[in-house]
């Protein structure tokens, strides 16, 4: 950051709900109470709080992603970093959407908890403090949107929730974490390579509603009536979660080979690691999502469709972000 750039003094903590903002009995606790329950935050940062929602994250919608991204982009002159407390069920989606749409190198750090706040050894308070420390760490600048859980720092693109219960649920099995939050300091061991944040063409400032992209998971013997109904729906795009290597069941394969409508179809492998090497497996209107999982490929396709450019090179977008 150049010397004459103004740097805000504060960070903004945005609460959205989820297990971190709940108790095992009473359900949701207000974001304000959540932040007040972790007074140690003040040791690491001067922070304001914004209560965005009180939602379990399986109820978060693309409209919430859009509003959250626009809130952050509208706050970049006031805050030098952002911590978002969020449910873990769809944290990876929100993180990836923001990774493609926040227009700053300031840290945006998502965190949550695997245990409610009233469980023995609840993990929420430590996760919030660690997220604040990462948001305050100079080495976090330019790393894109981050997920901090269980002392580990992960990048939005490579990370997903791998376990329903364990504290170490958030993993980046293909490429590993970016770094760690140790008791004395934040340590990064690698840099993010895919483009993100300021280095994407996606501008959500004027977007009121995101394009509709549906997702269908293939399975053995998937019948033609499901395929017809799903492909014919009034969506703007479709993601087909395939078997390994982009391979599909017989009826789906036939549909993809003959697909030539203007609606883009993406094939993403259900296998969580590796990538689909071949780009030319089906018709010209069918694209391969390389190494992105279906839930994240859907987000990238939604944003590609906001470019409103019939010549947008979807294949090229999937090699860069
Ligand atoms: N159990 C989830 C969580 O860990 C619930 C949610 O995602 O809202 O936050």
């Amino acid at each position: 950051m150049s010397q004459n750039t103004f740097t805000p003094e504060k960070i903004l903590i945005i609460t959205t709900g989820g297990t971190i903002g709940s108790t095992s009995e009473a359900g949701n606790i207000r974001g304000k109470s959540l932040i007040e329950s972790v007074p140690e935050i003040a040791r690491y940062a001067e922070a304001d709080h914004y209560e965005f929602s009180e939602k379990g994250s399986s109820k978060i919608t693309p409209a919430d992603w859009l509003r959250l991204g626009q809130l952050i982009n509208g706050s970049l002159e006031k805050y030098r970093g952002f911590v978002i407390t969020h449910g873990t069920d769809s944290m990876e989606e929100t993180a990836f959407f923001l990774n493609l749409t926040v227009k700053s190198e300031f840290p945006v750090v998502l965190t949550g908890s695997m245990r409610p706040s009233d469980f023995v050894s609840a993990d929420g308070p430590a996760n919030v403090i660690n997220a604040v420390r990462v948001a305050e760490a100079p080495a976090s600048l330019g790393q894109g949107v981050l997920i901090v859980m269980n002392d580990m720092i992960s990048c939005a693109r490579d990370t997903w929730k791998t376990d329903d219960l364990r504290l170490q649920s958030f993993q980046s099995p293909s490429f590993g974490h970016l770094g760690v939050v140790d008791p004395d300091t934040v340590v990064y061991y690698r840099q993010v390579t895919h483009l993100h944040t300021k280095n994407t063409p996606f501008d959500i400032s004027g977007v009121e509603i995101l394009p509709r992209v549906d997702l269908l998971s293939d399975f053995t013997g998937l019948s033609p009536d499901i395929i017809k109904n799903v492909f014919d729906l009034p969506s703007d795009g479709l993601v087909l979660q395939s078997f390994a290597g982009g391979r599909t069941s017989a009826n789906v394969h036939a549909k993809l080979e003959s697909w030539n409508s203007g609606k883009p179809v993406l094939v993403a492998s259900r296998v969580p690691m590796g990538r689909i090497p071949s780009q030319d497996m089906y018709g010209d209107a069918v694209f391969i999502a390389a190494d992105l999982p279906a839930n994240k490929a859907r987000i990238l396709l939604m944003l590609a469709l906001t470019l409103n450019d019939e010549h947008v090179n979807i294949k090229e977008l999937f090699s860069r972000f």
Side-chain angles (χ1 to χ4, degrees):
M1 189 177 292
S2 64
Q3 291 306 317
N4 60 359
T5 306
F6 163 71
T7 306
E9 292 301 314
K10 292 183 178 181
I11 65 169
L12 181 64
I13 301 178
I14 302 168
T15 54
T16 69
T19 294
I20 191 169
S22 71
T23 62
S24 50
E25 298 304 328
N28 282 339
I29 51 177
R30 301 301 303 264
K32 188 173 185 306
S33 308
L34 167 63
I35 301 308
E36 287 171 352
S37 71
V38 192
E40 297 83 353
I41 290 171
R43 283 181 51 196
Y44 299 101
E46 198 179 343
D48 286 344
H49 167 235
Y50 182 92
E51 186 158 80
F52 179 83
S53 60
E54 278 189 45
K55 279 188 177 182
S57 71
S58 55
K59 309 303 182 285
I60 290 280
T61 66
D64 292 317
W65 298 337
L66 195 54
R67 190 159 63 89
L68 190 53
Q70 290 166 343
L71 166 67
I72 291 171
N73 283 332
S75 308
L76 295 172
E77 292 185 357
K78 195 173 175 189
Y79 299 103
R80 68 177 180 194
F82 300 83
V83 167
I84 303 168
T85 65
H86 192 288
T88 57
D89 291 350
S90 70
M91 186 186 288
E92 64 214 59
E93 283 95 337
T94 300
F96 188 57
F97 177 83
L98 295 174
N99 195 53
L100 297 171
T101 57
V102 167
K103 294 304 165 189
S104 168
E105 62 178 12
F106 286 161
V108 176
V109 184
L110 283 85
T111 194
S113 71
M114 297 303 295
R115 294 174 180 160
S117 57
D118 58 345
F119 264 34
V120 174
S121 304
D123 54 328
N127 285 342
V128 172
I129 291 167
N130 284 348
V132 168
R133 292 178 57 199
V134 169
E136 280 288 295
S140 299
L141 281 169
Q143 286 277 36
V145 174
L146 303 167
I147 289 176
V148 170
M149 290 288 286
N150 199 44
D151 294 348
M152 306 310 288
I153 307 169
S154 310
C155 77
R157 187 182 191 280
D158 302 340
T159 306
W160 67 88
K161 182 174 182 179
T162 65
D163 189 299
D164 278 316
L165 295 171
R166 305 282 83 79
L167 297 183
Q168 70 276 19
S169 180
F170 279 81
Q171 296 290 335
S172 303
S174 300
F175 311 110
H177 298 288
L178 291 180
V180 294
V181 188
D182 284 342
D184 59 332
T185 187
V186 170
V187 185
Y188 280 91
Y189 292 99
R190 65 182 186 86
Q191 298 287 323
V192 174
T193 54
H194 281 83
L195 297 176
H196 54 72
T197 55
K198 289 170 68 176
N199 297 313
T200 80
F202 308 121
D203 174 3
I204 57 171
S205 56
V207 177
E208 291 183 6
I209 185 168
L210 286 166
R212 172 182 165 176
V213 174
D214 294 341
L215 193 161
L216 171 65
S217 184
D218 198 0
F219 54 85
T220 49
L222 195 156
S223 60
D225 58 348
I226 293 177
I227 296 168
K228 178 176 182 350
N229 288 332
V230 172
F231 276 70
D232 290 352
L233 287 170
S235 59
D236 302 299
L238 175 65
V239 174
L240 194 288
Q241 181 172 268
S242 72
F243 297 96
R247 291 178 290 277
T248 50
S249 59
N251 294 320
V252 172
H253 190 109
K255 184 71 174 181
L256 294 179
E257 276 200 318
S258 62
W259 187 252
N260 58 12
S261 101
K263 182 194 301 189
V265 174
L266 260 182
V267 174
S269 172
R270 76 180 190 178
V271 173
M273 294 170 71
R275 54 185 281 278
I276 302 174
S278 159
Q279 283 290 326
D280 304 316
M281 299 178 71
Y282 302 105
D284 291 344
V286 179
F287 303 90
I288 302 299
D291 61 343
L292 277 180
N295 61 339
K296 292 181 180 176
R298 171 174 176 252
I299 294 167
L300 183 49
L301 181 56
M302 289 167 87
L303 289 169
L305 294 172
T306 64
L307 297 177
N308 291 320
D309 173 358
E310 61 180 292
H311 302 298
V312 68
N313 185 334
I314 290 176
K315 191 165 143 181
E316 190 264 342
L317 287 178
F318 274 80
S319 65
R320 292 168 62 202
F321 302 111

